Amino acid sequence: MGLVDLPPRPVVPEVCHQRPVPEVFGLRPSAVPEVRRWRTASVPEVRRLARAAGYAAEAPLVVGTSWRDAPPIFACAGRTPAGRPFDEHTLAYAASLSKQFVAALTALVMRRGGLAVDEPLSRRMPELPAWAQSVRLRHLLHHIGGLPGDDLVDRALTGDRTGSGVLAALRALPEPAASPGTEYAYSNAGYVCLAEAVSRAAGAALPALADQLLFAPLGLTATRFWDGPEPAPPGAAALSPGAPAPLSLGDGGLWSTAADLLRWADALNDSRLGVSGLLQAPGRLDDGTTLDYAWGMGVRRRHGLTVYRHGGGWPGVRTLLARVPDRGLGVIVTALDDDTERTVALTDGLLDLLLS
């Protein structure tokens, strides 16, 4: 089973205290006066948007927004499968949001001279079939590598989804789906390859590399890449029982909290890593055609502003992170369910509310 992603082509402090206080759609009072005033005015709109998107009042849902130079605001409702309150500190699977983290690592390792995005994939992964010789790392970043389709890769997997399983499946598929650089085709397998190539170029395992270059510098203390052996990190919200564990890195493998993901959005909006301009640059086909997909994130327009967004999911979770750098805005929606359309509808409604 492959990762379930929000369609990328048709144009993705703390205030939810766990205490017995009155809630309106799970919104818990803030101790910060200016946040409390903003929230009081926003509660009816957030409740309306959530209900309009199809969420019940008790549905496990976290909605977070952040503005530059202002504390983040979180709306939390429901409980995890273990019965704990689902809030902005709950560790949950972030699925394909991992792609922008891997893209950032690619940019940082490249800046240090460790790799070049125009180098062939075969330079780092010579064990792959001959098609890897014409695939460049930049092709993988923008899903234009022409790799064998995810459907073929997924059918070859048994048990949990692991990076070694994905790479073994690719080694057994000698024919590419298309010539690299000629067409867009969303590829989870491509990001597994990209993560492995970056890891080899840096001489460090991806979880350790992310800790060193991303999580520690930005204060993302709860965020981690997880490749097992257990299905999830300790204390995380459980995914749907019976589904394969998502243990591959690059296409997924990221676990985080809503609070950390808004910190990440703020860091990208402010270019604290020094690579946001590169990460936000739309990709191009080899013929120069511009794509609506940058480095691990979609590129959209809303209310005349550029929005960078990406979503993802796995059985038992859906999430979507959106940013509007020109407004210093970040929005995160995470729900413990399997309804992608609701996540998109709620995110779009929030963006319309906040940008109009």
Side-chain angles (χ1 to χ4, degrees), residues 199-295:
S199 176
R200 293 184 187 186
L206 193 77
L209 187 65
D211 284 343
Q212 176 188 357
L213 299 184
L214 301 179
F215 306 154
L218 298 179
L220 309 182
T221 57
T223 305
R224 68 201 68 181
F225 277 104
W226 182 261
D227 57 1
E230 297 301 319
L239 297 170
S240 294
L247 302 179
S248 56
L249 303 182
D251 56 346
L254 185 76
W255 293 76
S256 190
T257 65
D260 265 11
L261 289 172
L262 278 189
R263 292 186 188 101
W264 170 252
D266 291 343
L268 291 185
N269 283 343
D270 295 339
S271 197
R272 291 178 205 159
L273 295 171
V275 293
S276 289
L278 182 59
L279 300 181
Q280 294 168 182
R284 295 179 182 273
L285 298 179
D286 286 359
D287 66 4
T289 302
T290 301
L291 303 171
D292 56 7
Y293 197 90
W295 288 47

Side-chain angles (χ1 to χ4, degrees), residues 303-327:
H303 295 279
L305 297 165
T306 302
V307 179
Y308 300 96
R309 58 190 289 168
H310 209 292
W314 194 263
V317 68
R318 292 294 184 272
T319 188
L320 200 157
L321 179 68
R323 297 186 299 110
V324 186
D326 287 345
R327 293 286 181 86

Side-chain angles (χ1 to χ4, degrees), residues 10-21:
V11 194
V12 269
E14 282 51 300
V15 294
C16 283
H17 301 300
Q18 296 180 20
R19 59 191 184 202
V21 296

Side-chain angles (χ1 to χ4, degrees), residues 13 15 30-41 69-73:
V15 294
S30 171
V32 183
E34 60 270 28
V35 175
R36 185 167 61 247
R37 288 194 295 271
W38 191 97
R39 172 172 292 167
T40 300
D69 300 324
I73 298 172

Side-chain angles (χ1 to χ4, degrees), residues 49-91:
L49 291 171
R51 294 290 176 84
Y55 290 102
E58 70 279 4
L61 175 68
V62 175
V63 177
T65 60
S66 65
W67 296 88
R68 185 174 290 119
D69 300 324
I73 298 172
F74 295 97
C76 314
R79 294 182 175 272
T80 69
R84 301 186 186 94
F86 185 48
D87 63 19
E88 78 275 21
H89 300 302
T90 301
L91 189 63

Side-chain angles (χ1 to χ4, degrees), residues 102-115:
V102 171
L105 288 174
T106 304
L108 292 172
V109 173
M110 180 183 70
R111 189 171 65 179
R112 294 181 171 196
L115 56 75

